Amino acid sequence: MEKEILEHGFNFNRRRFLSRLSLGLGSAALGSLLIPDLFGGGGADDEGFTPGMPHFAPKAKRVIYLFQNGAPSQQELFDYKPKLREMWGQEIPPSVRGTQRLTGMTANQKEFPLVGSFVDFKQYGQSRAWVSDLFPYTAKIVDDLCIVKSMYTEAINHDPALTFLQTGSQQGNRPSMGSWLSYGLGNENKNLPNFTVLLSRGIGNGQGVYSKLWSNGFLDSIHQGVQFSKGEDPVLYLRDPEGMNRQERREMLDNLAQLNEMGYQEFGDPEIMAKVKQYEMAYRMQTAVPDVMDLSKEPDDIIKLYGPDCLVPGTFAANCLLARKLSENGVRFVQLYHQGWDQHGNLPFEIAKQAKDVDQASAALVTDLKQRGLLDETLVIWGGEFGRTSYTQGKLTKENYGRDHHPRCFTIWMAGGGIKPGIVYGETDEVGYNIVSNPVHVHDFQATVLHQLGLNHEKLIFKHLGRRYRLTDVSGKVVHDIIA
């Protein structure tokens, strides 16, 4: 044994040690149940972090992220600015605009007239939060929400901004937030993936979403997000081929596992064992997924709560209902993407339709979780990748206008999961262009989400190519003011 250690040097790792002790695949499988990332790359760091175990007692067990792809205009939804209406058509003051860079879509504009919202706002709940008339259902649940008006980012275009929020980096090829949580916390239900993705589309084509947003990056592939589709096969290639029965599939997987174990003992590549775990997960999902995806057993009051669209596969409402079912069945991170919020022009018409698509179902999800006693342990997040400008893009008329990208401030809301309910956090200036109190950077937001799930963002680390990586890169602080 000592000779072999000397021969292999640092390549003689815990996985090879286990295999040389002839524990075999059965014992290794038992180990993976006791320590979910026993076969993961990277492993415990110098500070003693063990994948699959939180750093401290969590306030939330799971996350449902209702991502509004394309960047909703905060001025039309949550950030009420009557001064913008008073200054309608006036040039934005240089003292407000400052030296902020512009996108290529407005860089050649000679004028930047301010434009107030076409829609009215009212105050609701004990929090007296301002909510747009476009969101009548959301208005009813404001006392369950923490509305953060002071989010900001560094990215000014969709792809880097979206990638930044999801992975902590604008460049991509990094693990997404769902993958980090899978790595950090392990499985809650062995029959379903830790991280699932649901897509829906609003008005027009909107900004696209890409599989890199739910990539495992340099983490083991078992942590990759699994996309569920609206078709007959919600997870592609999950069914057995024609002519193969359940027993034959089981025998095939057992034989394949033995071959992979031989390959692993020869090469020591952790991805070999990750593949074995993926095959086993797919086998168990064959039974679990159809049951979770079946909405026929939902009672009439739940269908009424979410609205009739929840019975139409692929809609935002249907995905919200599925998100609840996935979450209550132990899926750690359920990511929804709803496309269509990119309103550079024709904003009054398009945003009204977008709001109608998501308002009832978003509020229903929070209400449904609350009445089931699940909201306290489920963190629900709603928001996009950045905000919208206070000035118009293109021609301004009384009936129509558009808004360009604005990374300097935007609004999200959070509910449940140990977040303070019924509060509004942060404030922007009187025209909604700059943050004047309690700024929250993207990395601060990510650090706070991890904290609610019992993870210290500075210790959730994976060593890769000689560097220690984390979701929040080298910055971020937990926003304790919004934690209950």
Side-chain angles (χ1 to χ4, degrees):
M1 179 70 76
E2 291 178 354
K3 179 182 178 182
E4 189 169 22
I5 291 175
L6 291 174
E7 288 176 351
H8 288 285
F10 289 111
N11 288 326
F12 191 87
N13 52 31
R14 56 186 171 169
R15 291 166 293 278
R16 191 171 289 248
F17 177 73
L18 289 175
S19 67
R20 288 297 185 265
L21 287 179
S22 301
L23 291 178
L25 191 61
S27 296
L30 175 61
S32 71
L33 293 175
L34 297 175
I35 305 175
D37 264 284
L38 179 64
F39 298 110
D45 63 11
D46 293 340
E47 287 75 26
F49 168 65
T50 301
M53 297 181 65
H55 299 112
F56 46 84
K59 294 192 174 183
K61 294 181 179 179
R62 296 170 288 276
V63 175
I64 299 175
Y65 198 160
L66 309 177
F67 199 89
Q68 308 305 306
N69 189 33
S73 172
Q74 70 273 22
Q75 294 92 342
E76 272 70 35
L77 301 177
F78 295 105
D79 203 6
Y80 178 51
K81 296 299 173 186
K83 189 69 174 179
L84 267 181
R85 283 187 169 181
E86 295 177 19
M87 298 180 69
W88 191 94
Q90 297 180 33
E91 187 72 9
I92 185 171
S95 59
V96 174
R97 179 181 163 192
T99 59
Q100 184 192 359
R101 63 194 178 114
L102 304 174
T103 71
M105 292 167 286
T106 52
N108 295 322
Q109 278 191 202
K110 296 181 179 179
E111 297 179 339
F112 297 88
L114 295 170
V115 54
S117 174
F118 74 97
V119 68
D120 292 328
F121 282 68
K122 296 182 182 64
Q123 288 179 287
Y124 295 90
Q126 294 182 355
S127 66
R128 307 308 296 154
W130 290 98
V131 180
S132 159
D133 288 354
L134 294 176
F135 273 173
Y137 290 92
T138 302
K140 297 176 182 178
I141 63 163
V142 289
D143 286 338
D144 293 315
L145 307 183
C146 169
I147 300 173
V148 181
K149 294 185 177 181
S150 52
M151 285 286 298
Y152 72 101
T153 184
E154 296 151 19
I156 199 169
N157 289 311
H158 293 286
D159 184 79
L162 178 55
T163 306
F164 191 37
L165 257 171
Q166 300 300 298
T167 71
S169 171
Q170 296 186 43
Q171 282 72 43
N173 299 319
R174 299 278 184 88
S176 66
M177 191 185 305
S179 296
W180 278 112
L181 286 176
S182 175
Y183 165 66
L185 297 176
N187 272 77
E188 193 175 9
N189 183 341
K190 67 177 183 178
N191 297 324
L192 289 170
N194 262 347
F195 176 20
T196 61
V197 179
L198 300 165
L199 308 181
S200 59
R201 189 183 298 274
I203 189 169
N205 292 323
Q207 290 296 321
V209 292
Y210 319 100
S211 59
K212 70 174 183 178
L213 298 172
W214 49 93
S215 168
N216 55 293
F218 42 70
L219 298 176
D220 287 346
S221 54
I222 194 67
H223 303 301
Q224 180 179 349
V226 176
Q227 181 183 344
F228 282 34
S229 70
K230 64 180 180 180
E232 185 178 347
D233 293 319
V235 180
L236 297 179
Y237 313 118
L238 194 62
R239 291 186 180 187
D240 289 331
E242 187 175 348
M244 174 176 281
N245 60 37
R246 189 79 170 165
Q247 180 60 33
E248 290 171 335
R249 168 65 77 176
R250 180 68 268 165
E251 291 174 358
M252 185 272 288
L253 290 175
D254 290 341
N255 292 330
L256 185 60
Q258 292 180 28
L259 291 173
N260 276 311
E261 185 184 16
M262 293 169 59
Y264 176 74
Q265 291 183 13
E266 178 68 23
F267 301 106
D269 184 355
E271 272 299 296
I272 295 175
M273 298 310 297
K275 285 183 178 180
V276 173
K277 294 172 75 173
Q278 286 179 314
Y279 295 148
E280 292 298 325
M281 172 63 75
Y283 179 75
R284 296 191 297 269
M285 285 171 61
Q286 288 181 321
T287 300
V289 167
D291 183 59
V292 171
M293 300 294 287
D294 182 11
L295 301 181
S296 64
K297 298 177 183 177
E298 293 294 320
D300 291 342
D301 62 312
I302 293 298
I303 302 302
K304 183 178 180 181
L305 180 66
Y306 284 86
D309 279 353
C310 76
L311 297 178
V312 181
T315 62
F316 181 79
N319 287 349
C320 281
L321 182 51
L322 286 173
R324 186 220 80 204
K325 295 192 69 178
L326 288 165
S327 183
E328 70 181 344
N329 277 278
V331 175
R332 290 280 186 195
F333 196 93
V334 184
Q335 177 78 67
L336 277 68
Y337 290 99
H338 187 65
Q339 302 171 67
W341 289 99
D342 193 23
Q343 281 103 37
H344 291 274
N346 201 22
L347 184 146
F349 170 77
E350 291 189 6
I351 201 170
K353 188 177 186 307
Q354 281 291 116
K356 188 175 182 181
D357 280 345
V358 305
D359 177 39
Q360 181 175 355
S362 299
L365 176 61
V366 173
T367 302
D368 195 8
L369 290 169
K370 186 177 181 180
Q371 66 190 14
R372 291 169 185 268
L374 296 173
L375 185 59
D376 288 344
E377 62 184 38
T378 308
L379 177 59
V380 183
I381 305 165
W382 190 102
E385 62 266 40
F386 43 60
R388 291 283 165 177
T389 55
S390 302
Y391 56 79
T392 188
Q393 176 180 339
K395 186 178 180 180
L396 172 61
T397 69
K398 285 291 185 182
E399 294 77 27
N400 206 356
Y401 57 90
R403 298 190 190 273
D404 200 6
H405 308 166
H406 190 63
R408 196 173 287 191
C409 59
F410 63 105
T411 300
I412 68 168
W413 60 251
M414 307 169 77
I419 296 294
K420 286 181 181 177
I423 68 168
V424 177
Y425 187 77
E427 185 180 359
T428 59
D429 61 27
E430 60 183 2
V431 295
Y433 198 83
N434 295 299
I435 296 171
V436 296
S437 70
N438 298 320
V440 179
H441 185 261
V442 167
H443 285 322
D444 301 334
F445 160 74
Q446 292 164 338
T448 305
V449 171
L450 293 179
H451 179 273
Q452 295 308 95
L453 283 108
L455 296 169
N456 183 332
H457 73 104
E458 294 180 336
K459 293 183 177 181
L460 182 62
I461 294 169
F462 190 92
K463 295 177 184 178
H464 176 64
L465 298 179
R467 180 189 162 183
R468 297 183 179 190
Y469 287 88
R470 68 188 209 211
L471 174 62
T472 53
D473 198 31
V474 295
S475 60
K477 60 183 184 298
V478 176
V479 186
H480 289 283
D481 291 343
I482 67 172
I483 296 174

